[in-house]
Amino acid sequence: MNLQTLATAADVAVGTALKDYSLIAGSTEPCEVARLVAHMPAILATQWSPFVASGSMTVSAVFCHNIPRVSWKSLLHSATKPCKPELADLLLILQRGSGVSRVSRSLLVQAKRAEGNDVCKLTQESELIQRYMYANWPSFEVLNPPANAPKIPTPFVVWQPTYYRSKQAKYAVVRPKGTCNEGWRLESAVAALPVSPSASAFTVPDGVSVGESDSLGLGLAKLYQGTEGRQCDLGDDWSQLTNYLVWFASDRMSQGLPLSHVAGGKVVAGASPPQIAAATSYMAQHAPFLKYTGNHHLLPGMDDWVHLDRVRDGFISWPLTPLERFIQEPVQGFGVIRIVIDDDLRIDDVEARRPSSTPL
């Protein structure tokens, strides 16, 4: 398949979401993640719908206040205290196929903001610790999982096979609206970052640069192709980590609460945590109903949203009422974007299947 065609369409969705300040103001890293979550479902569903020759495609997303953190035994400071870095800003999941043939892949993304052509550098110790984690993946535990959380490994071991170390998590450089080369770009692979066990502090001369290679749209196309991310439906530690993060983001979003398992997760006085939930489905055939395929098209908490009488030109969106603009910008946040596709996408005769209107 023509991977670049799919990537170009996805990049249109990413770029459109990046420039839409109608719901979330500001251009901090949490704002950029929240903006993708709020706008990508409808826009990506529109951009990829011409490739859906049969079956259905759904893009669903949630954003909850604060960021999950993990803990692992440190090689720093003579191992007297553990490292407790942020795990990620964004989780991307793509499931394709139906019935027993469906396959899910996921990719963790850590967003870093940069201006124009400036090189994005990591200089703070907390940033370098996280960079080390992404390069080496020591065994880690989630900080303070709630009592009602699904059972999870203690610790998580996600570095095996070693091939996935450079595939399962990436940094993304975000250049906000109005800057030179605005957009989201993923690094091709996380470079090695060795640390001496005798180091008393984590210091790297002039910091560590975050390399940029693929656009986020190309990353999504590669996730569909199966050459990016890691399969997350095998029951292994990576699969359980993916399920855990989906559960937390969806559970806290549906309750209107900040994540309870993070360090320092305080809400600004007088402000409501900016939980966001959105989803859009495109159905190439109005029958059979979405769930007939056996796929779970929506993230948890969205199972009762479908009203078939609202389907117009194959599209239906959730929520059914517009989101209100957030006055308080998110200080921290974690987002999940999940794409579910019943049948293989086709690109050869795109124009013949281009929809006549945008989703509701």
Side-chain angles (χ1 to χ4, degrees), residues 13-199:
V14 173
T16 304
L18 179 84
K19 298 172 185 177
D20 193 336
Y21 279 54
S22 62
L23 296 177
I24 297 97
S27 56
T28 62
E29 291 156 8
C31 287
E32 299 295 357
V33 174
R35 192 170 291 114
L36 277 186
V37 165
H39 299 295
M40 280 288 283
I43 308 171
L44 185 61
T46 302
Q47 288 297 317
W48 275 11
S49 64
F51 310 131
V52 182
S54 61
S56 304
M57 174 183 66
T58 301
V59 185
S60 54
V62 297
F63 177 90
C64 58
H65 192 75
N66 226 304
I67 298 175
R69 294 179 181 272
V70 298
S71 175
W72 43 276
K73 188 175 181 180
S74 177
L75 294 175
L76 315 174
H77 309 296
S78 302
T80 57
K81 64 178 182 179
C83 290
K84 299 179 180 180
E86 298 174 354
L87 181 58
D89 292 317
L90 179 65
L91 174 66
L92 301 174
I93 305 171
L94 195 147
Q95 181 185 89
R96 59 183 292 190
S98 300
V100 295
S101 64
R102 59 181 178 264
V103 175
S104 293
R105 301 183 69 84
S106 61
L107 174 69
L108 283 176
V109 177
Q110 179 64 38
K112 292 297 177 184
R113 187 177 181 274
E115 293 284 354
N117 289 320
D118 292 345
V119 175
C120 182
K121 284 193 173 183
L122 310 177
T123 57
Q124 299 180 16
E125 182 171 309
S126 60
E127 294 177 324
L128 296 171
I129 286 174
Q130 186 187 49
R131 180 68 172 190
Y132 174 86
M133 179 178 70
Y134 270 40
N136 297 279
W137 286 109
S139 301
F140 63 87
E141 298 181 5
V142 173
L143 283 181
N144 305 318
N148 63 331
K151 186 177 180 180
I152 55 176
T154 303
F156 281 100
V157 181
V158 299
W159 62 271
Q160 295 176 318
T162 56
Y163 165 78
Y164 289 113
R165 282 184 174 179
S166 63
K167 293 288 184 180
Q168 62 197 22
K170 298 288 180 70
Y171 278 75
V173 176
V174 186
R175 291 185 168 81
K177 173 184 175 182
T179 62
C180 181
N181 293 328
E182 63 185 18
W184 284 69
R185 295 197 66 84
L186 294 173
E187 60 183 348
S188 57
V190 181
L193 190 62
V195 177
S196 170
S198 62

Side-chain angles (χ1 to χ4, degrees), residues 221-239:
K222 287 183 174 181
L223 199 60
Y224 170 81
Q225 185 188 48
T227 57
E228 187 67 277
R230 177 172 178 175
Q231 191 168 347
C232 60
D233 53 8
L234 300 176
D236 57 1
D237 282 20
W238 181 258
S239 302

